Amino acid sequence: MSEPKEAPPRSAAEDPSALNAPPQPKPLKSVYTNTLAEVLTQLKLSLVISTYQAGQVILVRYDEETKTVNNHFRSFEKPMGMAVHGGAPAPRLTIGGRKSVTYLRNMPAVARKLEPRGKYDSCYLPREIHITGDIDVHEMAYDADDELWIVNTRFSCLCTLDHDHSFTPRWRPKFVSTYAAEDRCHLNGLTMVHGKPKYVTALGETDAAAGWRQNKARGGILIDVETDEILLSGLSMPHSPFWHNEKLWLLEGGEGSLARVNLEQRTWETVATVPGFTRGLDFYGPYAFIGLSQVRESAVFSGLPLIDRLGEERTCGVWVVDVRTGETVAFLRFDSGVEEIFSVKVLPNCTFPELMEWNNPMMATSYVLPDDALAEMPHVERA
């Protein structure tokens, strides 16, 4: 890799919506490798990152005009889990926040009207918000029936949403005896297999309020949702299980690593170690896109192998790892303003997206209608 380039400092965009966080006062600075630009352009993709610590959703995209990687910040209240769904370019982006889940839809017709014309190829507009209450939304994923499943960490369960309830519990680990807002095992990660919820991660096999904290360094587990079996134990703060190419991957946050799981032998193998707490994972071809957090010195993160290995030299950003070799091929590092990453998602066939703010005037004049209604409207450009 070549020496990292410094990205221009960016200020968090101010958004007056009640659902969004106050503006971020710190300057947002980052550096990236030239190879990151190559990855984005050659694979024809962008990235979307959530950082609850900074209250931002970040679009990472290559600007063909300036020949630089552009970090585009949008304010949200404690954005955490995200789901990208519906093909490429994905028509839906869903973001979990402090007390709500926001559904956004890609409207290419709106993107074509953004200035400068011809620069944007996608534009995500809010379509719906579901108020969940503070359930500590972690990872989310859509099943084969287009139903959204959410890791409800506060109530130690997987849940879905409907119009009548804050949430509907659908599954909880067999060792958790009741639904209580006590974060008993810190359930955090979820992956689908063939369109069904299959594997989840948690930080402890515990049934007491915040009981997982007592053995956070090595109490992590992987659970099979269908069988209720604990497949792996002794993991160090596992996050982000991911089914890719008929293999199961996960992150060991406490080790700062990416691991591949051998389900038959019920073991795991470290594929790559990186210079930060690992949380947030997506794949595209042979490349893993891994979120890194600095993690603060606190009771939650004390005593982790990562702290012993890296000391104070922990990094925040996104690392791109070739899983065939375990080598880092590119990275984006945040040097100021962003210290923790929660989710990283690939936006395939989406080279320069926009995420529209609530106060944008185009929100008032951008409509999504059924096709039969559009057919009766003159001079309408379809999304």
Side-chain angles (χ1 to χ4, degrees), residues 241-318:
F242 203 103
W243 186 255
H244 176 68
N245 280 349
E246 298 300 311
K247 295 178 181 178
L248 180 62
W249 308 77
L250 57 78
L251 301 176
E252 276 197 278
E255 293 280 2
S257 66
L258 168 69
R260 181 172 49 235
V261 177
N262 185 321
L263 291 169
E264 291 183 357
Q265 298 181 10
R266 299 196 178 186
T267 59
W268 70 97
E269 172 192 8
T270 298
V271 174
T273 56
V274 291
F277 182 90
T278 46
R279 178 176 54 200
L281 176 66
D282 204 352
F283 281 83
Y284 196 88
Y287 300 112
F289 295 80
I290 305 170
L292 275 64
S293 297
Q294 290 179 353
V295 301
R296 302 174 299 277
E297 284 290 353
S298 65
V300 175
F301 295 109
S302 64
L304 299 180
L306 172 73
I307 305 297
D308 295 336
R309 175 166 65 89
L310 297 175
E312 297 298 322
E313 299 300 318
R314 300 184 299 276
T315 296
C316 177
V318 176

Side-chain angles (χ1 to χ4, degrees), residues 33-104:
T33 59
N34 284 333
T35 49
L36 179 62
E38 295 171 5
V39 167
L40 297 179
T41 54
Q42 291 177 8
L43 300 182
K44 297 181 180 179
L45 56 82
S46 298
L47 303 176
V48 56
I49 303 168
S50 65
T51 164
Y52 61 89
Q53 165 264 327
Q56 302 291 317
V57 172
I58 308 169
L59 295 174
V60 180
R61 55 200 188 178
Y62 182 72
D63 190 329
E64 186 65 41
E65 183 178 342
T66 62
K67 306 299 181 184
T68 60
V69 173
N70 173 270
N71 300 321
H72 193 52
F73 294 83
R74 288 290 182 247
S75 296
F76 274 78
E77 187 180 21
K78 196 184 177 184
M80 292 186 62
M82 299 188 296
V84 174
H85 183 60
R92 279 186 279 175
L93 170 63
T94 311
I95 303 172
R98 182 179 299 279
K99 54 183 178 292
S100 64
V101 172
T102 301
Y103 298 83
L104 303 99

